[in-house]
Amino acid sequence: MAIISRIKPKLSLLHNYQFIIVLLLIIFGLTPAFVLESTILSRYEERAVSNRIVNVRTQADILARGISNSDYLKNPEDNVVNAQLQQLATFYDGRILVVNRDYRVVYDTYDKSTGKYIVSSDVMQSFQGTEYSYHSRSDRYVEMTVPVIVSAGQGDGSGNIRIVGLLVISFSTQSVADSMESIQRSALVVKIILIFCVLGAAVLAGFMLLRPLRTLRRSMEAYNDGLEDVVAETGPREIRGIAEVFNRIAARMKTLDDSRQEFVSNVSHELKTPITSMKVLAESLLSQEDVPVELYKEFMQDIAAEVDRESTIIQDLLEMVRMDRTEVQMNIVPVNINELLEAILKRLAPIAEKSSIELVLYSRCQVVADADEVKLTLALSNFIENGIKYNKENGYVHVTLDADYKSFIVTVEDSGIGIPKEDLGQIFERFFRVDKSHSREIGGTGLGLAIARNAILLHRGSVQVDSEVGKGTTFTIQIPLTYVAPAPQK
Ligand code: ADP
């Protein structure tokens, strides 16, 4: 647990863009410089040492040839050869041992091992003909052997090449290490300057890159505090895109909020009206003395009508709220639309008769469609009921059912009062009524068409309305025969 809690703050840094930008710039800015430096330095060391080995070997080969041509291995007192060996050893800050076939040191430029024997694997392998050189990086020296060769006729006359002696050379690579150190010191200065430059550039780049995001955030905060109406769409394209989307969402939320507020105020008003009427009626009865029974009866009838109205509004509201939910349960079954319409007309016939309105169903074909029977009945009843309600004495409501290969069409045509052109776009809005006072007389909540349209849309259908004031209205409802469920929301 302790480890996790210690790691957590570090991880949270990775959620900080400023930190990530600085980190990436440092990694990509400095790593190549560091890798390059170490590669160049190690290559330099390798080359410097191998050049030195080649030079030493070239000169030692010349000496070895001199030794093989003379009698030196038998008589190592040759001052000229010794002087040359000394000169070569001094020049390369090293030591040369001359070893004969018996592994005996016949000459040592340090004069320490003359007369001693060297029986090491390197020396033995070198006598077998393997060239040997070894560089010790840590101790800064090179050890190598150069063979002294005699060829045919010079030795035992066998015609073969023979190694009769060895020059065992060791020299220091301190000077190479010194120049490496001096280069490393200069590189360190360059590295420090580079680190500061990259750090500065990284912090600046982080600041510059994140500035538009900070501006966007400030603008969003100003919007949230109510200081701005919209978020400023400025800065790079990506940030402008975010601001644009935000503004679109905000505008949609505002429209939703406005309509919700309007809905709440409409609901409150609609629910209050019948209650106010009931209160007025009751108070006027209470304020009078010796009220005749007939007046009581009349007022109580009015109160009962207001109660009915209130309950209708509440019922409609509940229905609408039910259908407004995002996941409305659709109970889709094959429905005989002819029978469904006949049942509706049968139920509404007494109301039509009351106003002497002719209510007729024209079934042009038999239709069975996938539908939610309850919701479809509710929707179609609303259109037909409106046709009867907003009609004239002795008028008509003609309901026609027709179908093509993919949908069925119900037209509800009435000879009623009609709807003014300017109101046609609003009749499906909640609580909208063309003539409030008249509609009140007729009775209605202004929710019927909103509910009906919702139900039609849930069936993936459409509604069209044509109307002429004084002549009548025709609603055309089109619904697919096969129900296609909406794609599930993620
Ligand atoms: P309401 O409960 O008032 O009938 P609706 O939503 O059903 O509410 O209808 C909204 C308004 O549209 C009605 O108040 C009425 O003014 C108008 N309207 C609807 N249907 C018709 C029609 N067939 N003829 C004339 N006007 C209509």
Side-chain angles (χ1 to χ4, degrees), residues 123 125 247 426:
V123 170
Q125 274 177 15
N247 282 334
Q426 295 178 76

Side-chain angles (χ1 to χ4, degrees), residues 67-346:
I67 289 170
S68 94
N69 288 336
S70 70
D71 216 9
Y72 181 82
L73 287 172
K74 285 181 192 142
N75 176 25
E77 304 304 318
D78 187 333
N79 285 335
V80 180
V81 175
N82 286 348
Q84 283 172 336
L85 287 167
Q86 273 297 351
Q87 197 184 3
L88 183 63
T90 317
F91 188 78
Y92 286 104
D93 188 16
R95 180 183 183 183
I96 302 173
L97 308 177
V98 183
V99 181
N100 69 12
R101 193 66 233 198
D102 303 328
Y103 304 108
R104 193 169 153 264
V105 178
V106 294
Y107 182 72
D108 175 4
T109 54
Y110 275 19
D111 204 18
K112 279 185 183 162
S113 305
T114 312
K116 292 183 182 164
Y117 288 87
I118 301 182
V119 191
S120 70
S121 65
D122 316 325
V123 170
M124 282 160 78
Q125 274 177 15
S126 298
F127 271 117
Q128 302 296 315
T130 313
E131 275 200 0
Y132 167 76
S133 70
Y134 166 71
H135 174 211
S136 165
R137 217 182 224 117
S138 53
D139 296 332
R140 293 169 183 181
Y141 73 92
V142 168
E143 202 170 73
M144 58 191 279
T145 57
V146 173
V148 179
I149 300 164
V150 285
S151 48
Q154 236 186 313
D156 58 359
S158 65
N160 288 331
I161 284 172
R162 249 186 3 114
I163 298 172
V164 291
L166 277 183
L167 299 183
V168 180
I169 306 166
S170 55
F171 61 84
S172 161
T173 55
Q174 185 60 44
S175 60
V176 175
D178 288 346
S179 21
M180 286 260 299
E181 265 167 27
S182 131
I183 295 169
Q184 265 167 341
R185 269 195 300 277
S186 317
L188 183 69
V189 176
V190 174
K191 269 194 297 195
I192 291 170
I193 296 171
L194 195 71
I195 288 171
F196 276 109
C197 288
V198 169
L199 261 176
V203 172
L204 193 73
F207 178 78
M208 299 282 284
L209 285 172
L210 295 179
R211 199 161 59 172
L213 268 179
R214 276 192 287 270
T215 314
L216 177 71
R217 192 197 157 139
R218 271 199 299 277
S219 187
M220 280 178 169
E221 272 167 2
Y223 173 86
N224 190 38
D225 295 342
L227 302 173
E228 300 280 350
D229 290 338
V230 285
V231 167
E233 292 174 13
T234 53
R237 196 157 50 106
E238 291 76 7
I239 303 290
R240 277 205 313 272
I242 295 175
E244 260 170 45
V245 174
F246 180 89
N247 282 334
R248 251 184 284 143
I249 295 171
R252 216 179 65 207
M253 300 294 281
K254 192 175 174 325
T255 315
L256 276 178
D257 195 49
D258 286 352
S259 89
R260 188 185 54 84
Q261 274 182 18
E262 195 190 318
F263 178 66
V264 170
S265 90
N266 281 343
V267 167
S268 324
H269 176 77
E270 294 302 322
L271 290 177
K272 238 180 98 184
T273 319
I275 291 173
T276 317
S277 308
M278 285 187 267
K279 194 169 180 256
V280 170
L281 288 166
E283 275 175 355
S284 73
L285 277 182
L286 285 173
S287 62
Q288 295 173 48
E289 277 180 24
D290 302 328
V291 185
V293 178
E294 291 75 30
L295 197 67
Y296 252 114
K297 267 195 176 163
E298 192 191 326
F299 275 32
M300 287 316 278
Q301 269 168 1
D302 288 348
I303 289 175
E306 289 301 332
V307 170
D308 282 348
R309 193 171 137 68
E310 183 89 27
S311 107
T312 315
I313 294 172
I314 291 169
Q315 250 173 15
D316 278 2
L317 271 172
L318 288 175
E319 192 59 49
M320 200 178 58
V321 169
R322 214 146 41 97
M323 274 203 245
D324 257 3
R325 279 198 309 236
T326 32
E327 300 234 344
V328 181
Q329 190 65 39
M330 292 291 277
N331 186 20
I332 301 292
V333 285
V335 177
N336 185 318
I337 308 297
N338 306 70
E339 283 172 12
L340 183 137
L341 282 170
E342 275 161 25
I344 296 174
L345 262 70
K346 199 171 161 201

Side-chain angles (χ1 to χ4, degrees), residues 406-417:
K406 61 173 193 190
S407 41
F408 68 90
I409 300 128
V410 178
T411 44
V412 180
E413 186 188 351
D414 67 55
S415 58
I417 56 174

Side-chain angles (χ1 to χ4, degrees), residues 386 389-390 414 418-419 427 432-434 439 444-446 448-449 473:
N386 276 355
K389 268 192 330 192
Y390 302 103
D414 67 55
I419 303 164
I427 54 167
F432 180 82
R433 271 173 283 170
V434 174
S439 296
T445 60
L449 285 183
T473 307

